[in-house]
Each structure stands twice: as structure tokens, then as C-alpha cells.
């Protein structure tokens, strides 16, 4: 097991006074990977109540914060200890190619995974058209994991990791043109391509241990999970060209970034948010 | 066209449509005899008086409806009421009632399956593309078990009688079907207007609907013997606000808006002057996208933040369950005979109108070539909005509809133009009685171990001559419906 202390800090300033807030934070670790989660602690400069809810999906915990106080800036701090089991992705073995293909082609597999296989132009953040895919190829031979890894390599080399060129609204089709971006852009393009080639895949957000030379560790990180027969949902990180291991601490998954917003909610206010800053610290304790 | 002396008027019995009142050989149908005899004693001034009295009752009781078809801001109107009741013989009603229960039980099983194993899709009975392309299929409901296994607690099944004399289901409404308050208001008004006739005919009672509704709501409460039930309304600007307040008042429960509720620790509370009170069951009259800004439409101020978390934690029941709209999509309607057979193992009791799905190539070709013989409907609209009736369209309008369909094939279905039955109706202004098209919205309640169908339902009447759209939002009116 690897023991980490995770810290998430966010600071928000508002143009006008806020007189009440109901916020949801998606920053608590995912519980279904055998991780032991201890001592969650949430604090804020604004008086209010907070609680953890895992009603939406039993493995995903939403942290709610409710305040009836007046404020013009909000700072929240969250920390938690998480003990993650050692996960060696190279130990995972695919089924024989023929059997795997039979499963992937079966009606049952497609229906059970339809939500994450379907390319959906109504969700453009992770949608690419056939012409957007022309710069990429899909291996005809090999098992599904090999094909996915080959595609991951292509995405990794296609995009230059650079912040400031994209934002949370940037769509996969734009990334094809800009060829620059951060982890969520790598992931959105990768997902668009995977779904175009018929792979059940989902957007995953989480923490990344910064002890190694990895990109995207100072913010919440994003990667993809692909559903592979026999193996299950396997994490693939196109930003760092890695398979996901125990250095990745998942929070939640969804179709794209919009399902994994770290903070969302309702503020009673006359004005807009003026500035926002997030910081993530992942510290390995054992 | 035959002319007969009924109601002391020259009543023109329809030769093209099924007339509920007289048979094709111009004889009053047996179940209308008492009504015919009673009305024969009245003269024009009586009818004027009945009409004025009925209007006065509606006005005094605030029985109104907002219409948005003419004015985007909506205009509040007295709900038009025709005092000549529609009568359904008990033996016919028994069969309709069985058909409604069969259909809505099957819809409930269908919803349970769609949000769990999806067997019906895997068995190829309903195409997966049809379900997954529906905006009403909510991923958040996947794997969730509502209390009692009930999704469509309240269903409104729209039924028509075609010229062949058979009843057909026109559409299913399992989101927030409205109209039941008008059934109760109509009965109340008619009792005051025509007490003698009412007493002579003794129609099956409907007065206990609010009690049955409350009983059903309580049956799906999350573990409390004295659950606190509320009606959640979008507010006074909603077209059915009268109904929301009427139902809350008749059940003796609170009428709330989203801002009157709050969620703490996945539990819903209502703000009251005595402090916060826990809420167990919410009869919500707000559509799914507006329920909770944290999960659905973030701009909505109609719902309550955190409501869906409380629901998914099993601490509150929403009636109807979110995500039921996937089953009343008009494209899914076409598969209802198969859906009933699949889950109930029986042939459908109430027939379906043949339906062409524009998403399918062969159907699309037929629809585009035969629009003048068809009614084209958007699959995800209600209230009669967006409907095009082929034989009323000009050549330019047909071209427009063809274009609309081709631009978004999945959005449209088409059905043959069904000939809705007609019923004698008092025509205000002309002071006469004439045949007008009617349909019937029935109301079915499914509780944890209870089911109830309101005897009769809401007979809606198209007040314009020849008009086939009976929806109140399109200017239609209603009648009291008697099962005798």
C-alpha cells in the first residue's frame, strides 16, 4: 500500500457580495479501488456546514458545503489520507484476441457500455468527426490494449503540453487544430478518438503523485479509463504516455469534464466570480 | 349529414366520425337515454343559463389555465367547460381500465429494465439507438431502485375512439401528466349545474381521487409511518399552477416551490415558520432538467440544489421518478405492443395507433411521400405543440414539414389521421349544440402495492369545428366524464 496525504485548496473572489451558497466539490478519492480513506477534513473561511455524500454513485463522494453567511471571497481547504493498494498495470493480461473480439462485438457488451462507446456531437468536448481522426490510425492487428496504447502514443506526440492555450470549454476538435493543451485536452481528444474506434472509454479526474516527473500534478489531473474484456476499466494517461498505477488517485469518472467538475453550485449574488485559483498537493507518506 | 331533433336542436349527427351520442342509424345510444330525456325538457335559455352558471363556478373557484400559443408570456383563461357530459358505459370502461393498468404496469417494468439489466434491448425487442438517443434517458438513474420499484406513479394515458368504434391509445404521458384537477372541478361544477340529471344517472364517484393520490404517495415514502408529502410546483407562472394548488389543498399537504426546500446531509427539509420540517415524498410538477441545478440544468432556479443526492440516497421519494420520460417518447410508443407482450406476457388490451418512425429509412420515405394523409408529431413535446396535421397543410407548409423532418429525423413520428369521435357540445355564441371532436385522458396511480384508475378521466373537446387538437394549451375545453 502507498499512503498519501492529499490537499486541495481553492480561493474564489466575487465581484459582488454573496449571501448564501450551496456548493458541491468533487475532490474526495474514489473508494472502489481498494483504497482506504481516512481523516477527511474540510475547512473554509466562511461559516457553513459540510458533509460527504456518496448517494450519486456509491464509489463517488460529493462534498457539499452550505452557507447562509454573507461573504465576498471563499477559501476552502480539504485534506484526506488515502492508502492506495499497489497497482501494476503490466500484470493485467488480455484475453486471447479471438475471444476478446467476440466479446467486443457482442450486442450485450455494446449495450452495457453504450453510454461510453457512443460518439455524441451534443457533448463536443470529447467529440471528433471522421475528418478530425485522419491524422491518427487504429491498429488492425493485436488485442484491444495494444491498440489503445498505440493510440495513446499518437495523442501524446500530437499535442504539445502547454498551458494558457485552452480552457475548460475547449473541445476535442479544436485541440486537433491547436495541437497544444493540458491534461484535460489530451484526455478529451483521446476519448473522442477511442469512441470513434468503438472503445468504451470515460473521462477520469483525480490526483497524481508529483514525486515522479509527471505533467499536470499541481492541479487535479485527468486521464481516460477504457473498458477491456476480462481486465475491466483500465486507466490510461495520454498526457504522460503512461498506464495508470497507484500514483494515480481517482476521484470520479464521467463522459467528459462536465461530469467531473471539481466545484459546482449555486451562489446567491448579483455579480460574477472575479478570480479563482486551485492548488493540489499530493504528498507520499509511506 | 342527418339532422335530428335532439336537445330541442337540429343536431347534426356525424356520418364520418363515430358519434358517442347517436348510432349510425340515428338512434340515441342506450347509455345516453336518461341524458337525452332530461335535455329534451330544456330550451335555449336553459342552455345559456347552464353555460353561464358553469362559467361562474369556474371563475369563482379560479379554475384557469395559461395558454402560451398566442402570447409567449401566457394569458390566464377560464378553462372552457362544456356542460353536456360524456358517458361511458361501465362494461366498456372495465375493459379500458384493464388496458390502462396493463399498459402502465408494462411501462413501469420497461423503465426498471432500462435502468438495470436492459434485457429488452439485448433481446432486440426495442432498438438500443432509440433509447440512448433519448434526452430523457438519465444515466444518473442507472442501477437505482426507487421505493416499491415504482417509476411511473402517475400516468396519463390518452385514448381516442376511431371511426371503427374501437378505442386506441394515442399517447402515454408518464412525466408530469396534468389535467386531473379539471376532472374533479368539472364534476363539482356539473353537480351544481345539473343536480337532477346527476342524481338520476349516478356516475361512478371520483371524489376520492385526492385521497387515493395521497395514499399512493404515502405508500412510497422512505420508511416513515407518518410521511410528510408535498406538491412541488414551478410557481404561479406555470400553466398548470391551478392544478398544483388544487391538488395540494385537496390532499391537505403543503404546496411548495424549490426555494421553500433545502437539502442537508442528503435529507430534504421544508422551511416553515415553525422551523425546518423533513420532507419524505415530493409530488413534483417540475420537469427533470429543472429539478436540481447541481445535476441537471445549472441555470434553473425552479428546483432545489442537492435534491437528486437526497433522492439517490433514498431519503426522499420523487413522484414520478426522474428519467420516466424515456418511456413516453412518442417513438417508443410504437413499440408498446411488443413491450406489453415482453413484460406482461399478454396481448395489448388497448390498441396502438400505427406509427411511422422517421428515424427508420423505410418509414421516412413513406412519411415524406404521404404527409397529407398523416399527423406528424415531435417525439419529445407535449401539450399539442409542434403537431402538423397533413390534410390541413398548404403545399408550402408540407415542404416546410418535410424539411424539418429531414433535418432531425429522430425527432419525428407520423401516424395516420385518426378520426376522433364526436360528441354533442354546446357552442357558445351560436347558442346551439353541435358535434365536436373529443378524446379522453385517463389517470392511473401505481403505488407500492396499490393501483387505481380514476373512473372516466378528462374528456377534452376541440371547440373549433373540425379541429382535431383537443389540448387545453391549444384552446380546447373539457367535459365531465361519467362511467355508468
Amino acid at each position: 500500500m502507498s499512503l498519501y496525504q492529499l490537499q486541495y485548496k481553492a480561493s474564489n473572489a466575487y465581484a459582488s457580495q454573496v449571501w448564501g451558497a450551496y456548493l458541491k466539490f468533487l475532490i474526495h478519492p474514489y473508494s472502489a479501488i481498494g483504497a482506504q480513506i481516512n481523516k477527511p477534513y474540510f475547512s473554509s473561511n466562511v461559516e457553513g456546514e459540510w458533509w460527504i455524500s456518496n448517494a450519486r454513485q456509491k464509489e463517488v463522494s460529493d462534498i457539499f458545503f452550505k452557507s447562509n453567511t454573507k461573504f465576498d471571497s471563499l477559501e476552502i481547504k480539504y485534506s484526506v489520507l488515502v492508502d492506495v493498494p499497489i497497482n501494476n498495470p503490466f500484470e493485467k493480461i488480455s484475453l486471447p484476441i479471438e475471444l476478446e473480439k467476440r466479446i467486443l462485438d457482442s450486442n450485450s457488451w455494446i449495450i452495457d457500455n453504450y453510454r461510453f462507446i457512443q460518439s455524441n456531437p451534443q457533448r463536443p468536448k470529447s467529440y471528433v468527426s471522421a475528418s478530425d481522426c485522419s491524422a491518427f490510425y487504429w491498429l488492425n492487428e493485436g488485442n484491444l490494449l495494444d491498440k489503445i496504447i498505440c493510440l495513446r502514443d499518437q495523442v501524446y506526440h500530437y499535442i504539445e503540453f502547454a498551458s494558457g492555450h485552452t480552457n475548460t470549454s475547449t473541445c476535442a476538435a479544436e485541440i486537433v487544430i491547436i495541437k497544444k493543451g493540458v491534461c484535460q485536452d489530451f484526455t478529451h481528444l483521446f476519448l473522442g478518438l477511442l469512441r470513434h474506434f468503438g472503445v468504451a472509454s470515460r473521462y477520469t479526474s483525480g490526483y497524481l503523485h508529483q514525486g515522479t516527473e509527471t505533467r499536470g500534478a499541481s492541479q487535479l489531473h485527468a486521464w481516460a479509463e477504457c473498458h477491456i474484456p476480462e481486465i475491466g476499466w483500465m486507466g490510461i494517461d495520454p498526457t504522460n504516455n503512461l498506464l495508470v498505477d497507484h500514483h494515480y488517485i481517482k476521484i470520479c469518472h464521467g463522459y467528459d469534464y462536465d461530469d467531473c467538475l471539481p466545484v459546482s453550485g449555486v451562489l446567491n449574488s448579483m455579480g460574477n466570480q472575479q478570480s479563482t485559483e486551485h492548488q493540489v498537493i499530493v504528498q507520499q507518506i509511506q | 349529414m342527418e339532422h335530428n331533433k335532439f336537445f330541442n336542436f337540429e343536431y347534426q349527427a356525424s356520418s364520418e366520425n363515430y358519434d358517442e351520442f347517436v348510432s349510425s342509424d340515428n338512434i340515441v345510444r342506450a347509455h345516453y337515454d336518461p341524458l337525452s330525456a332530461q335535455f329534451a325538457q330544456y330550451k335555449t335559455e336553459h342552455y345559456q343559463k347552464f353555460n353561464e352558471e358553469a362559467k361562474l363556478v369556474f371563475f369563482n373557484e379560479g379554475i384557469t389555465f395559461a395558454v402560451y400559443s398566442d402570447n409567449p408570456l401566457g394569458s390566464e383563461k377560464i378553462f372552457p367547460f362544456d356542460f353536456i357530459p360524456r358517458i361511458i358505459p361501465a362494461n366498456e370502461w372495465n375493459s379500458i381500465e384493464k388496458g390502462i393498468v396493463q399498459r402502465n404496469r408494462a411501462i413501469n417494468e420497461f423503465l426498471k429494465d432500462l435502468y438495470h439489466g436492459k434485457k429488452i434491448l439485448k433481446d432486440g425487442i426495442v432498438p438500443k439507438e432509440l433509447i440512448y438517443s433519448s434526452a430523457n434517458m438519465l444515466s444518473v438513474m442507472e442501477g437505482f431502485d426507487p421505493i416499491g420499484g415504482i417509476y411511473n406513479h402517475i400516468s396519463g394515458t390518452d385514448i381516442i375512439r376511431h371511426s371503427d368504434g374501437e378505442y386506441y391509445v394515442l399517447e402515454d404521458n408518464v412525466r408530469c401528466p396534468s389535467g386531473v384537477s379539471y376532472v374533479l372541478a368539472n364534476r363539482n361544477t356539473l353537480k351544481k349545474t345539473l343536480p337532477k340529471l346527476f342524481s338520476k344517472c349516478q356516475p361512478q364517484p371520483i371524489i376520492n381521487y385526492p385521497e387515493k393520490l395521497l395514499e399512493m404517495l404515502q405508500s412510497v415514502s422512505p420508511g416513515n409511518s407518518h410521511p410528510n408529502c408535498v406538491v412541488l410546483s414551478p410557481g404561479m407562472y406555470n400553466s398548470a399552477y391551478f392544478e398544483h394548488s388544487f391538488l395540494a389543498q385537496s390532499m391537505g399537504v403543503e404546496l411548495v416551490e424549490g426555494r421553500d426546500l433545502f437539502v442537508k446531509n442528503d435529507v430534504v427539509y421544508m422551511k416553515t415558520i415553525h422551523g425546518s420540517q423533513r420532507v419524505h415524498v415530493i409530488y413534483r410538477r417540475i420537469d427533470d432538467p429543472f429539478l436540481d441545478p447541481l445535476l441537471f440544468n445549472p441555470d434553473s432556479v425552479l428546483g432545489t440544489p442537492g435534491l437528486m443526492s437526497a433522492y439517490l440516497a433514498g431519503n426522499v421519494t420523487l413522484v414520478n421518478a426522474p428519467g420516466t420520460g424515456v418511456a413516453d417518447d412518442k417513438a417508443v410508443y410504437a413499440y408498446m405492443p411488443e413491450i406489453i407482450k415482453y413484460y406482461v406476457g399478454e396481448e395489448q388490451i388497448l390498441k396502438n395507433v400505427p406509427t411511422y418512425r422517421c428515424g427508420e429509412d423505410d418509414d421516412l420515405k413513406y412519411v415524406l411521400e404521404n404527409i397529407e394523409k398523416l399527423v406528424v408529431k415531435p417525439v419529445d413535446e407535449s401539450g399539442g405543440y409542434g403537431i402538423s396535421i397533413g390534410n390541413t397543410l398548404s403545399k408550402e407548409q408540407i415542404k416546410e414539414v418535410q424539411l424539418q423532418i429531414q433535418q432531425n429525423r429522430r425527432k419525428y413520428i407520423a401516424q395516420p389521421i385518426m378520426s376522433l369521435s364526436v360528441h354533442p357540445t354546446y357552442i357558445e355564441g351560436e347558442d346551439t349544440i353541435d358535434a365536436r371532436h373529443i378524446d379522453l385522458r385517463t389517470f392511473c396511480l401505481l403505488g407500492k402495492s396499490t393501483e387505481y384508475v380514476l373512473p372516466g378521466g378528462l374528456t377534452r373537446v376541440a371547440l373549433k369545428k373540425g379541429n382535431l387538437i383537443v389540448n387545453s394549451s391549444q384552446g380546447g375545453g373539457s367535459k365531465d366524464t361519467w362511467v355508468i
Side-chain angles (χ1 to χ4, degrees):
Chain A
M1 301 284 274
S2 293
L3 182 64
Y4 296 102
Q5 181 173 43
L6 310 178
Q7 289 181 58
Y8 175 88
K9 293 179 188 174
S11 307
N12 296 294
Y14 303 98
S16 305
Q17 192 174 55
V18 175
W19 62 89
Y22 195 102
L23 301 172
K24 183 177 83 173
F25 295 91
L26 261 173
I27 51 179
H28 189 79
Y30 190 79
S31 63
I33 45 167
Q36 290 174 16
I37 299 161
N38 292 302
K39 297 184 182 170
Y41 180 72
F42 185 97
S43 65
S44 162
N45 65 325
V46 173
E47 198 183 319
E49 295 168 273
W50 70 279
W51 64 93
I52 296 177
S53 162
N54 61 354
R56 200 160 53 89
Q57 288 173 35
K58 65 180 188 302
E59 305 87 358
V60 175
S61 300
D62 298 317
I63 296 176
F64 286 97
F65 176 69
K66 179 178 178 295
S67 171
N68 294 324
T69 314
K70 290 180 180 172
F71 59 91
D72 48 25
S73 71
L74 175 68
E75 285 174 26
I76 71 114
K77 289 179 191 164
Y78 168 73
S79 68
V80 67
L81 287 175
V82 56
D83 214 353
V84 183
I86 300 296
N87 166 22
N88 181 357
F90 297 100
E91 284 177 349
K92 292 171 180 168
I93 299 167
S94 292
L95 287 172
I97 291 173
E98 277 310 308
L99 178 57
E100 187 185 70
K101 189 173 180 322
R102 261 207 312 277
I103 294 173
L104 289 170
D105 291 342
S106 70
N107 200 30
S108 178
W109 177 269
I110 293 168
I111 287 167
D112 284 337
N113 291 284
Y114 202 85
R115 184 180 154 215
F116 293 115
I117 291 178
Q118 200 182 19
S119 283
N120 184 357
Q122 309 295 325
R123 304 282 297 261
K125 283 184 185 161
S126 58
Y127 175 77
V128 288
S129 63
S131 62
D132 294 328
C133 300
S134 57
F136 303 90
Y137 65 91
W138 184 244
L139 282 183
N140 288 323
E141 303 295 323
N143 59 39
L144 181 60
L145 182 56
D146 293 337
K147 293 174 181 178
I148 291 169
I149 289 173
C150 172
L151 190 64
R152 180 202 65 188
D153 291 347
Q154 295 172 57
V155 171
Y156 174 77
H157 288 107
Y158 186 82
I159 306 176
E160 178 192 338
F161 185 87
S163 56
H165 299 275
T166 57
N167 56 41
T168 52
S169 305
T170 307
C171 299
E174 296 171 76
I175 307 296
V176 173
I177 298 162
I178 303 168
K179 297 185 181 177
K180 286 178 183 166
V182 294
C183 57
Q184 73 193 33
D185 305 311
F186 280 77
T187 305
H188 278 149
L189 176 59
F190 188 40
L191 288 172
L193 295 166
L194 286 165
R195 290 177 189 145
H196 176 78
F197 294 117
V199 181
S201 49
R202 59 196 189 189
Y203 186 98
T204 309
S205 92
Y207 299 90
L208 174 57
H209 176 227
Q210 36 186 354
T212 53
E213 287 294 312
T214 49
R215 299 161 164 185
S218 61
Q219 300 275 319
L220 288 181
H221 191 49
W223 61 91
E225 282 185 336
C226 300
H227 204 187
I228 300 171
E230 189 69 12
I231 293 175
W233 287 98
M234 186 170 185
I236 317 273
D237 181 1
T239 315
N240 292 297
N241 210 19
L242 292 171
L243 295 178
V244 165
D245 63 9
H246 51 275
H247 292 100
Y248 290 76
I249 304 149
K250 175 176 168 177
I251 295 171
C252 63
H253 60 251
Y255 191 81
D256 59 22
Y257 172 78
D258 290 343
D259 291 340
C260 302
L261 298 173
V263 57
S264 56
V266 177
L267 295 171
N268 297 329
S269 173
M270 299 296 286
N272 292 323
Q273 193 163 301
Q274 223 166 23
S275 68
T276 182
E277 283 175 27
H278 303 268
Q279 190 192 0
V280 166
I281 300 170
V282 181
Q283 192 179 4
Q284 187 161 17
I285 295 173
Q286 279 175 18
Chain B
M1 198 73 74
E2 298 291 339
H3 290 235
N4 290 279
K5 193 97 175 164
F6 299 119
F7 311 108
N8 283 324
F9 284 105
E10 295 295 326
Y11 178 72
Q12 298 182 343
S14 173
S15 55
E16 294 159 8
N17 307 293
Y18 184 92
D19 195 308
E20 299 282 347
F21 177 67
V22 288
S23 62
S24 52
D25 44 7
N26 295 311
I27 296 170
V28 173
R29 296 182 193 278
H31 52 281
Y32 275 97
D33 278 342
L35 182 140
S36 177
Q38 181 81 27
F39 273 56
Q41 300 169 20
Y42 300 136
K43 292 182 180 154
T44 309
E45 51 270 29
H46 288 108
Y47 294 126
Q48 285 169 339
K49 183 171 158 271
F50 296 149
N51 189 45
E52 288 308 316
E53 277 175 5
K55 273 166 65 179
L56 193 63
V57 174
F58 270 62
F59 181 78
N60 287 341
E61 298 190 6
I63 304 166
T64 57
F65 205 92
V67 178
Y68 292 89
S69 54
D70 303 328
N71 173 5
L73 296 174
S75 49
E76 200 75 11
K77 292 186 177 176
I78 294 175
F79 193 64
F81 170 68
D82 181 63
F83 59 83
I84 305 173
R86 185 234 189 111
I87 298 175
I88 301 174
N91 60 337
E92 264 181 31
W93 176 252
N94 289 344
S95 164
I96 294 174
E97 190 179 55
K98 277 184 198 148
I100 291 166
V101 171
Q102 180 201 53
R103 197 169 178 98
N104 289 307
R105 283 276 173 214
I107 288 176
N108 196 60
E109 290 307 306
F110 178 53
L111 286 163
K112 202 184 292 179
D113 188 17
L114 289 183
Y115 289 117
H116 291 83
K118 302 177 182 57
K119 275 186 66 195
I120 198 163
L121 306 184
K122 290 175 185 171
D123 288 341
I125 310 291
V126 175
K128 56 183 178 296
E129 294 78 9
L130 189 71
I131 299 302
Y132 284 107
S133 60
S134 167
N136 296 310
M137 177 79 184
L138 298 184
S139 59
V140 73
M141 289 295 289
E142 300 247 359
F144 177 73
D145 295 306
I147 289 167
I150 307 293
Y151 290 81
N152 53 326
H153 308 83
I154 303 167
S155 310
T157 311
D158 290 349
I159 296 172
I160 57 158
R161 202 205 288 257
H162 189 43
S163 52
D164 60 3
E166 295 279 344
Y167 287 104
Y168 289 80
V169 173
L170 201 59
E171 61 185 51
D172 300 290
N173 296 280
V174 292
R175 279 177 273 183
C176 299
S178 64
V180 74
S181 59
Y182 302 112
V183 180
L184 303 172
N186 288 354
R187 177 62 55 89
N188 191 32
T189 305
L190 205 63
K191 262 192 211 172
K192 290 176 185 165
T193 314
L194 296 168
K196 278 187 197 160
L197 183 63
F198 186 84
S199 164
K200 197 194 283 181
C201 293
Q202 294 288 317
Q204 287 187 20
I206 54 169
I207 191 81
N208 58 348
Y209 179 81
E211 194 185 309
K212 293 282 181 189
L213 178 60
L214 184 60
E215 200 177 291
M216 181 279 288
L217 295 176
Q218 288 171 335
S219 81
V220 290
S221 161
N224 188 303
S225 54
H226 300 289
N228 190 11
C229 306
V230 298
V231 176
L232 174 61
S233 168
M236 60 181 285
Y237 294 108
N238 185 270
S239 59
Y241 184 68
F242 161 74
E243 173 150 314
H244 307 160
S245 58
F246 180 93
L247 289 175
Q249 202 172 22
S250 0
M251 284 191 288
V253 305
E254 295 294 336
L255 174 68
V256 298
E257 294 182 26
R259 59 192 168 170
D260 300 324
L261 303 176
F262 68 93
V263 178
K264 197 170 110 183
N265 279 319
D266 291 342
V267 174
V268 182
Y269 296 91
M270 173 172 60
K271 299 171 194 167
T272 78
I273 52 168
H274 304 295
S276 52
Q277 270 181 24
R278 184 170 169 184
V279 172
H280 301 90
V281 182
I282 299 175
Y283 175 21
R284 49 88 176 215
R285 297 296 298 260
I286 292 182
D287 290 337
D288 292 352
F290 307 103
L291 274 176
D292 181 351
L294 293 188
L295 206 56
F296 302 123
N297 183 350
D299 299 327
S300 170
V301 291
L302 299 177
T304 305
L307 183 59
M308 280 303 288
S309 281
Y311 174 67
L312 296 171
N315 293 331
V316 71
T317 297
L318 293 175
V319 171
N320 288 347
T324 48
V326 67
D328 73 5
D329 184 311
K330 292 181 182 71
V332 171
Y333 160 90
Y335 291 93
M336 276 312 294
E338 290 92 335
I339 290 170
I340 292 170
K341 182 105 185 181
Y342 188 80
Y343 295 111
V344 187
E346 297 168 3
E347 293 298 330
Q348 57 175 355
I349 298 170
L350 290 170
K351 291 181 181 175
N352 248 36
V353 177
T355 302
Y356 302 95
R357 296 178 290 266
C358 298
E360 293 178 16
D361 293 342
D362 290 347
D363 285 8
L364 175 73
K365 189 169 179 288
Y366 179 81
V367 171
L368 293 178
E369 287 170 3
N370 295 280
I371 283 190
E372 64 283 358
K373 297 182 205 158
L374 300 167
V375 180
V376 178
K377 298 179 178 178
V379 295
D380 51 358
E381 295 269 3
S382 57
Y385 292 106
I387 291 180
S388 307
I389 300 173
N391 61 3
T392 64
L393 302 176
S394 64
K395 279 184 181 172
E396 287 71 29
Q397 285 170 322
I398 288 180
K399 274 185 192 160
E400 241 170 66
V401 174
Q402 284 171 328
L403 194 66
Q404 272 173 8
I405 297 172
Q406 283 167 315
Q407 281 170 346
N408 194 350
R409 292 172 52 178
R410 169 66 178 81
K411 192 179 161 67
Y412 294 96
I413 55 131
Q415 293 171 334
I417 298 170
M418 297 299 281
S419 139
L420 273 62
S421 61
V422 294
H423 194 285
T425 302
Y426 177 75
I427 310 301
E428 198 181 24
E430 295 174 23
D431 288 331
T432 182
I433 289 176
D434 200 2
R436 289 291 184 269
H437 289 291
I438 56 166
D439 82 345
L440 179 66
R441 169 163 287 186
T442 61
F443 296 91
C444 174
L445 304 179
L446 296 181
K448 204 169 184 176
S449 52
T450 56
E451 56 198 26
Y452 171 77
V453 182
L454 181 73
L458 182 69
T459 291
R460 298 181 297 182
V461 53
L463 294 171
K464 284 182 203 160
K465 195 173 179 71
N467 196 352
L468 288 171
I469 299 183
V470 295
N471 301 68
S472 43
S473 50
Q474 303 284 312
S478 73
K479 287 172 168 290
D480 194 9
T481 312
W482 292 1
V483 176
I484 55 174

